[in-house]
């Protein structure tokens, strides 16, 4: 794929954080700020055309998700809104049920909501993961009782790209009479999805993860699933999400979904090949580094590498100096004191958890960019290890915890 | 991306005095792998004069941890141990033209490593005296442990109390939910229930003079009294405030010591203003008597 012109020079490998809006997508949305500014709810012709454009976008999203009906697509403002709407709807629809099942490595959009709901009297079961970030389905099966109001499990983990068996888990929840929601923000557009042949009741997606703008999301709601809106008011989205439609962004998301559909094969062949090359190239040159997550079952664009005995934010700052954008699960990048909850849940030792770096590619990533990163990363890692009290001349200090023994710890 | 000063970036990209110091006779190790920050400070101390001849560091940590370590070694080289011990974490942060509130603990680690190294040289035992919790107030960089301990030690029961005792929550106020959670928890420990409306009732009962019913002298005395209440917090940060003039709704003050020119000055003034407005029951504007610093304060708002 040809490299797009970007306004900023640099190598962008942080596509799980957000993506560049495709030029054609920007062009498609622009008329909806000016000539097509009408409110789709209006009776006059200013609104009518806009209504038709939204209908088309809804069908484009439907196509990418493999949804049976276009009315199952509800436009929202973001992935987080979709997650909150889904989970809170399920709780309100079954007020007598006071338990929630989710995983310990969800995105904060689900995790923080569930933690908050615990304060309101709900019991949340956070499914544990093993060292590769995989779930124990036997543990899950035992929790599926009639006390559970909703199951919410992410399709793909944002940090490691590890895929969860959501289709199988939805079948299990369905058999137990429990609605199943999946946060598929990272998965949509990267792995094939065919919702009509699953028992998934609700799914969240976010536009800006697939080359649409920020501020637009979707909640997929299977026909017949009991629903209670988060926002009540006007009749928009058939009364399931009140508020005037974000028309330009809805149109943009529609086209972005169509493009994602067209590039699905490319994503799973060429993007995957570049990701694999990047990961193998770095691991071949850097000692004491390893890929985290389930590397045989993950998103095609994501590689998460742990570099031992150094800290992630320092790596990012040096990468940035070379014009390379990535992200880290280190505590310092978030301002918290603990490294990423995903790394801790997988039991990644602290010697490595603070030094995890996520590279996430897109269909715009190039071979030359990957080669450059493979060249730069080993130098950066060596430079920081030279500063680290845990690193000796040519490797980690022997028994690092003893070599560096503070008077307190 | 953090809003790091150029000085922080410069010290991170080109750290001074990094690496092992072979003939060090004072070594201070603080932090650990678990907490994501660890610093080894190595000093060569002249036994005759107790002067620091050389200082080097090794740091496992983020950009500001490395920059703070680099700054620390530059500051203390050539100092006597006694003089070096007076270096505060604020001095380290100031040397770097400030650190983001979430990163102030990096400068604290520098100061602790220094204390540990001096203790090591003198054959004393050094104990870390603080435990760090999750950051609650981002305006004033105050963590949950400090708030919790202060609430417990002083029997505090309202967000207002917490602001008065710790400054936490006195800025943008978006952390008040977090402070209420801490209050609920600590109050539950002593068998009480947190009541967000209790403060208002108490104040009404206390018979605070109604606005407009004070004459000028009473009003100025009242302002002085409110400032006196705030003063201990400022002094804890090595600063102070003095009342210069009261002109209608405008209250002119002088920020003294560490508060003067501090990167938090604008927020501190805002907090003081909020306190005065609330206590006086009328709108007032707090303005530093120096015009230059007012422009700075305004640009921060």
């Amino acid at each position: 794929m040809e490299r797009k012109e970007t306004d900023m020079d640099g190598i962008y490998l942080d596509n799980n954080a957000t993506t560049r809006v495709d030029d054609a997508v920007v062009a498609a949305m622009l008329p909806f700020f000016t000539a097509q500014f009408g409110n789709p709810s209006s009776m006059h012709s200013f609104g009518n055309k806009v209504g038709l454009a939204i209908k088309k976008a809804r069908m484009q999203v439907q196509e990418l998700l493999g949804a049976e009906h276009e009315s199952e697509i509800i436009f929202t403002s973001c992935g987080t809104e979709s997650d909150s709407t889904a989970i809170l709807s399920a709780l309100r629809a079954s007020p007598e049920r006071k338990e929630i099942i989710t995983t310990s490595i969800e995105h904060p959009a689900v995790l923080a909501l569930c933690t908050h709901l615990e304060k309101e009297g709900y019991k949340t079961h956070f499914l544990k993961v093993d060292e590769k970030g995989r779930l124990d389905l036997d543990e899950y099966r035992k929790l599926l009782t009639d006390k559970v109001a909703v199951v919410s499990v992410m399709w793909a983990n944002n940090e490691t790209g590890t895929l969860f068996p959501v289709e199988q888990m939805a079948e299990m929840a369905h058999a137990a009479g429990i609605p199943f929601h999946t946060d598929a923000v990272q998965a949509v557009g990267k792995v094939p999805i065919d919702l009509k042949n699953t028992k998934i009741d609700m799914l969240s997606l976010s536009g800006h993860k697939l080359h649409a703008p920020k501020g637009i999301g979707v909640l997929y709601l299977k026909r017949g699933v009991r629903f209670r809106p988060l926002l009540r008011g006007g009749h928009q989205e058939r009364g399931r999400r009140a508020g005037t439609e974000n028309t330009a962004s809805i149109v943009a998301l529609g086209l972005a979904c169509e493009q994602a559909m067209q590039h699905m094969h490319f994503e799973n062949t060429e993007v995957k090949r570049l990701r694999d090359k990047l990961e193998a190239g770095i691991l071949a040159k850097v000692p004491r580094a390893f890929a985290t997550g389930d590397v045989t079952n993950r998103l095609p664009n994501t590689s998460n590498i742990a570099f031992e005995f150094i800290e992630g934010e320092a790596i990012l700052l040096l990468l940035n100096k070379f014009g390379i954008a990535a992200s880290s699960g280190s505590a310092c990048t978030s301002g918290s004191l603990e490294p990423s909850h995903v790394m801790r849940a997988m039991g990644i030792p602290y010697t490595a958890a603070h030094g995890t770096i996520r590279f996430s590619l897109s269909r715009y990533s190039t071979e030359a960019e990957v080669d450059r990163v493979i060249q730069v990363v080993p130098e950066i890692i060596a430079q920081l290890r030279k500063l680290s009290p845990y690193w000796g001349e040519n490797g980690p200090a022997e028994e690092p915890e003893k070599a560096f023994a503070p008077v307190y710890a | 991306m953090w809003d790091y000063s150029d000085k922080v970036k410069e010290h991170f990209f080109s750290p001074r005095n990094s690496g092992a110091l072979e003939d060090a006779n004072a070594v201070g190790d603080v932090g650990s792998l678990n907490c994501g920050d660890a610093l080894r400070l190595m000093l060569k101390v002249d036994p005759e004069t107790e002067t620091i001849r050389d200082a080097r560091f090794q740091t496992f940590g983020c950009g500001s941890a490395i920059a703070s370590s680099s700054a620390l070694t530059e500051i203390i080289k050539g100092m006597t141990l006694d003089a070096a011990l007076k270096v505060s974490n604020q001095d380290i942060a100031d040397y770097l033209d400030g650190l983001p509130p979430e990163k102030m603990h990096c400068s604290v680690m520098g100061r602790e490593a220094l204390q540990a190294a001096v203790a090591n040289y003198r054959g004393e035992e050094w104990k870390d005296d603080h435990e760090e919790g999750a950051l609650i107030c981002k305006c004033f960089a105050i963590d949950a442990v400090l708030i919790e301990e202060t609430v417990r030690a002083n029997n505090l029961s309202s967000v207002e109390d917490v602001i008065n005792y710790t400054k936490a929550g006195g800025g943008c106020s978006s952390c008040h939910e977090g402070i209420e959670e801490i209050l609920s928890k600590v109050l539950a420990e002593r068998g009480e229930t947190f009541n967000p409306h209790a403060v208002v009732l108490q104040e009404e009962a206390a018979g605070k003079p109604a606005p407009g019913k004070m004459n000028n002298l009473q009003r100025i005395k009242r302002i002085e009294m409110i400032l006196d209440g705030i003063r201990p917090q400022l002094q804890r940060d090595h600063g102070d405030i003095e009342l210069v003039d009261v002109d209608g709704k405008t209250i002119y003050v002088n920020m003294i010591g560490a508060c003067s020119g501090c990167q938090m000055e604008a927020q501190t003034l805002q907090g003081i203003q909020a306190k005065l407005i609330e206590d006086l029951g009328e709108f007032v504007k707090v303005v530093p008597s120096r015009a230059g610093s007012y422009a700075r304060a305004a640009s921060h708002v």
Side-chain angles (χ1 to χ4, degrees):
Chain A
M1 170 144 310
E2 201 177 320
R3 174 87 197 270
K4 292 265 174 169
E5 282 298 312
T6 48
D7 298 325
M8 283 172 63
D9 282 335
I11 299 173
Y12 187 76
L13 296 183
D14 200 10
N15 286 282
N16 285 13
T18 195
T19 58
R20 177 191 159 86
V21 181
D22 188 272
D23 291 343
V25 170
V26 175
M29 70 189 291
L30 285 179
F32 292 88
F33 292 106
T34 51
Q36 302 290 338
F37 69 90
N39 188 326
S41 300
S42 302
M43 286 305 293
H44 46 65
S45 58
F46 286 91
N48 186 33
K49 281 185 186 164
V50 182
L52 291 173
I54 290 181
K55 185 178 166 68
K56 182 182 172 196
R58 205 182 298 280
M59 289 165 72
Q60 287 165 316
V61 178
Q62 178 196 356
E63 174 79 11
L64 180 65
L65 296 182
E68 190 163 5
H69 309 282
E70 60 166 279
S71 61
E72 293 173 329
I73 307 301
I74 302 172
F75 291 110
T76 66
S77 68
C78 57
T80 299
E81 186 196 321
S82 301
D83 288 338
S84 271
T85 305
I87 292 170
L88 294 172
S89 164
L91 299 186
R92 285 179 193 162
S94 304
E96 73 291 352
R97 297 186 170 198
K98 295 291 182 194
E99 293 183 17
I100 303 166
I101 300 175
T102 187
T103 78
S104 52
I105 65 169
E106 292 298 306
H107 186 275
V110 169
L111 218 46
L113 175 66
C114 290
T115 315
H116 178 75
L117 286 165
E118 293 215 302
K119 289 178 199 153
E120 296 183 358
Y122 285 91
K123 163 79 192 150
T124 308
H125 303 281
F126 298 96
L127 298 173
K128 289 189 280 292
V129 294
D130 68 8
E131 75 287 352
K132 288 192 167 176
R134 295 172 301 199
L135 293 170
D136 175 358
L137 292 191
D138 286 333
E139 182 198 2
Y140 171 59
R141 192 188 318 273
K142 284 178 197 144
L143 292 171
L144 293 170
T145 68
D146 59 9
K147 290 179 196 153
V148 178
V150 64
V151 177
S152 180
V153 173
M154 65 197 334
W155 198 305
N157 182 264
N158 49 308
E159 292 189 28
T160 64
T162 302
L163 297 162
F164 279 147
V166 283
E167 286 149 312
Q168 187 187 350
M169 294 176 81
E171 296 275 356
M172 292 162 72
H174 183 78
I178 304 166
F180 187 92
H181 165 253
T182 179
D183 176 346
V185 157
Q186 294 294 346
V188 173
K190 294 176 195 151
V191 291
I193 291 177
D194 188 28
L195 289 174
K196 60 183 169 296
N197 288 315
T198 72
K199 293 282 191 266
I200 293 169
D201 296 302
M202 294 176 281
L203 172 146
S204 304
L205 77 84
S206 172
H208 74 102
K209 308 287 190 189
L210 59 145
H211 307 286
K214 294 152 189 69
I216 184 72
V218 161
L219 174 65
Y220 158 85
L221 178 69
K222 195 181 273 299
R223 182 171 287 185
V225 172
R226 296 174 65 225
F227 184 72
R228 301 291 180 270
L230 183 67
L231 301 184
R232 291 177 191 269
H235 60 265
Q236 294 90 351
E237 304 301 291
R238 297 170 190 257
R240 296 169 301 177
R241 200 281 187 179
T244 300
E245 296 88 343
N246 184 356
T247 52
S249 292
I250 288 172
V251 169
L253 176 60
L255 183 55
C257 284
E258 190 182 313
Q259 292 188 342
M261 196 75 187
Q262 287 161 1
H263 290 103
M264 188 63 74
H265 179 70
F266 185 87
E267 186 85 26
N268 285 282
T269 52
E270 186 57 16
V271 175
K272 181 172 185 288
R273 182 186 70 79
L274 286 179
R275 187 276 314 269
D276 290 342
K277 179 180 181 181
L278 175 74
E279 188 170 281
I282 290 173
L283 293 180
K285 286 205 214 165
V286 180
R288 301 302 296 247
F290 58 91
T292 70
D294 187 358
V295 295
T296 58
N297 180 36
R298 60 177 165 168
L299 293 174
N301 77 319
T302 309
S303 170
N304 189 301
I305 300 179
F307 299 99
E308 290 188 275
F309 306 111
I310 46 175
E311 200 277 333
E313 188 208 280
I315 302 173
L316 290 185
L317 288 171
L318 286 172
L319 282 172
N320 190 52
K321 205 181 165 198
F322 286 92
I324 300 165
S327 73
S328 167
S330 93
C332 283
T333 47
S334 62
S336 73
L337 297 167
E338 292 277 357
S340 139
H341 67 285
V342 179
M343 297 303 145
R344 278 182 294 143
M346 294 193 295
I348 304 289
Y350 279 106
T351 46
H354 287 286
T356 53
I357 298 291
R358 178 188 69 190
F359 299 99
S360 46
L361 287 68
S362 79
R363 58 182 192 249
Y364 301 133
S365 303
T366 66
E367 189 104 34
E369 290 177 333
V370 165
D371 288 342
R372 174 78 177 138
V373 177
I374 293 172
Q375 182 197 351
V376 165
V377 165
E379 296 167 23
I380 289 177
I381 303 304
Q383 182 182 338
L384 285 172
R385 280 182 175 161
K386 219 181 269 175
L387 285 179
S388 172
Y390 296 110
W391 196 260
E393 281 294 309
N394 296 306
E398 273 175 47
E399 296 187 73
E401 295 282 11
K402 281 186 192 162
F404 183 85
V407 283
Y408 79 96
Chain B
M1 172 94 39
W2 296 111
D3 188 12
Y4 282 142
S5 72
D6 290 340
K7 199 90 176 265
V8 172
K9 288 186 210 157
E10 209 260 315
H11 273 265
F12 168 67
F13 288 127
S14 315
R16 324 288 196 276
N17 314 308
S18 66
L21 181 61
E22 292 306 331
D23 49 354
N25 56 358
V27 177
D29 288 353
V30 291
S32 73
L33 268 174
N34 295 15
C35 68
D37 276 322
L39 162 57
R40 168 175 291 163
L41 180 68
M42 294 151 284
L43 308 177
K44 203 165 122 189
V45 181
D46 183 334
E48 297 289 310
T49 59
E50 287 213 330
T51 305
I52 299 170
R53 291 271 170 242
D54 200 2
R56 296 179 79 83
F57 75 90
Q58 285 176 304
T59 294
F60 162 83
C62 61
S64 51
I66 290 169
S68 295
S69 309
S70 169
L72 171 68
T73 54
E74 287 288 280
I75 294 172
I76 61 172
K77 266 207 267 185
M79 279 185 173
T80 62
L81 290 184
D82 285 335
L85 280 176
K86 293 201 181 90
V87 173
S88 69
N89 72 298
Q90 190 64 50
D91 292 333
I92 299 171
D94 289 347
Y95 184 89
L96 292 167
D97 295 336
L99 286 169
E102 289 88 344
K103 300 292 190 164
M104 284 302 285
H105 67 99
C106 295
S107 61
V108 173
M109 191 172 70
R111 193 204 53 193
E112 289 174 351
L114 180 60
Q115 291 171 341
V118 174
N120 169 260
Y121 176 79
R122 292 178 172 164
E124 296 162 357
E125 201 171 313
W126 180 80
K127 274 265 176 270
D128 170 38
D129 58 357
H130 84 284
E131 191 191 340
E132 214 173 274
L135 187 64
I136 300 287
C137 170
K138 295 196 173 181
C139 293
F140 300 116
I142 298 168
D143 67 65
V145 171
L146 179 72
I147 296 172
E148 200 177 313
E149 285 174 353
T150 311
V151 168
R152 202 171 282 131
N154 299 286
N155 265 330
L156 307 186
S157 59
S158 71
V159 174
E160 278 305 307
D161 289 342
V162 172
I163 295 173
N164 292 338
Y165 277 74
T166 67
K167 287 210 292 202
C172 71
S173 83
S174 43
C175 63
H176 285 192
E177 184 184 357
I179 294 176
E180 286 192 10
E181 275 174 22
I182 294 174
L183 283 164
S184 302
K185 183 181 136 192
V186 179
L187 261 66
E189 284 169 11
R190 54 182 203 239
E192 295 172 38
T193 318
F194 171 65
N195 176 4
H197 311 292
V199 194
V200 184
L201 297 173
Q202 277 170 15
E203 277 181 2
E204 277 167 6
K208 204 167 58 172
K213 290 195 180 155
M214 284 182 282
N215 65 30
N216 265 342
L217 186 63
Q218 286 172 328
R219 188 159 167 265
I220 289 172
K221 276 190 176 158
R222 181 92 198 160
I223 293 169
E224 281 278 21
M225 211 179 82
I226 299 164
L227 291 180
D228 282 342
I230 298 167
R231 189 156 285 125
Q233 300 162 29
L234 299 174
Q235 287 170 341
R236 209 170 43 211
D237 293 340
H238 308 291
D240 207 339
I241 187 169
E242 68 180 16
L243 182 63
V244 176
D245 195 8
V246 179
D247 180 9
K249 299 279 181 210
T250 310
I251 298 173
Y252 292 94
V253 297
N254 242 344
M255 300 298 277
I256 307 173
C259 291
S260 163
C262 154
Q263 51 170 340
M264 305 275 198
E265 181 179 323
Q267 276 158 336
T268 307
L269 284 173
Q270 271 186 341
I272 293 169
Q273 176 171 308
K275 179 84 192 136
L276 283 164
I277 290 172
E278 194 212 2
D279 239 282
L280 295 169
E282 57 171 324
F283 177 78
V284 291
K285 196 160 75 178
V286 176
V287 174
S289 60
R290 290 159 292 120
S293 89
Y294 176 59
R296 193 169 57 239
S299 74
H300 279 218
V301 179

